[in-house]
Amino acid sequence: MRAQISLTIDGQNRTVTVDTRATLLDVLREQLGVTSPKKGCDHGQCGSCTVLLDGRRATLCLALAVANDGATIVTADGLADGDELHPIQQAFLARDGFQCGYCTPGQICSAVGMLDEMKAGAPSLVTADATAGIEPSAEEIRERMSGNLCRCGAYPNIVAAILEAGR
């Protein structure tokens, strides 16, 4: 069975006919040519397909396309403002927060979403006192980014980049 859906991807309105069983990740990559989100595990465990979906970080390999008709998706490619990189993107470059780069788009989108969650006061498992406001710390970042895996082991530089951008 097929259905037509509309999406706003990185500020661009797109309409596409999809198999009702297709994930958003497969629709973006295979039908729309949006390759920033990567297919890693296809089980929501590695975070390579993380984007901002309606303002919140989400793994697209677990999201059915038809269930997200009308959604707004921001990929790592859509974070920049023209030629000016997003502060997280700049920090990843400055702190060498990547090696092979495969997980980097998902890491960057997750970091942007994570910092937004912290600003909104959403506590994590390691938040000592959510009523006092949540400041970026290495412990908070490691806990909140634990769903994004880096096979190259660039974690120290990823944490340093997020700390820099979060200040």
Side-chain angles (χ1 to χ4, degrees):
M1 187 164 219
R2 299 184 65 74
Q4 184 172 308
I5 64 169
S6 296
L7 302 166
T8 302
I9 305 164
D10 295 335
Q12 189 176 37
N13 295 324
R14 309 284 296 267
T15 300
V16 63
T17 301
V18 300
D19 183 308
T20 55
R21 300 165 295 174
T23 65
L24 268 176
L25 178 61
D26 289 337
V27 169
L28 260 62
R29 291 188 60 81
E30 296 170 14
Q31 290 185 249
L32 299 174
V34 178
T35 58
S36 178
K38 305 296 188 244
K39 184 176 271 200
C41 66
D42 220 13
H43 295 288
Q45 296 175 344
C46 74
S48 293
C49 63
T50 303
V51 300
L52 299 175
L53 177 63
D54 291 331
R56 298 186 61 171
R57 57 188 172 150
T59 51
L60 292 189
C61 70
L62 296 179
L64 286 175
V66 292
N68 288 282
D69 184 21
T72 298
I73 297 168
V74 177
T75 71
D77 290 341
L79 290 171
D81 185 12
D83 289 338
E84 187 174 329
L85 294 177
H86 186 280
I88 289 284
Q89 292 169 315
Q90 290 174 338
F92 265 68
L93 285 171
R95 294 292 186 163
D96 197 25
F98 53 90
Q99 286 183 21
C100 80
Y102 192 83
C103 72
T104 305
Q107 295 272 1
I108 287 172
C109 285
S110 191
V112 170
M114 177 211 60
L115 290 174
D116 288 345
E117 292 165 11
M118 290 175 70
K119 286 178 192 168
S124 77
L125 183 64
V126 300
T127 303
D129 182 7
T131 62
I134 305 167
E135 292 296 319
S137 69
E139 184 180 33
E140 279 285 349
I141 291 167
R142 282 192 296 271
E143 170 63 25
R144 292 170 186 264
M145 293 292 291
S146 64
N148 290 81
L149 303 179
C150 173
R151 290 160 183 87
C152 299
Y155 296 116
N157 296 349
I158 291 168
V159 171
I162 297 169
L163 275 170
E164 179 179 305
R167 290 191 179 114

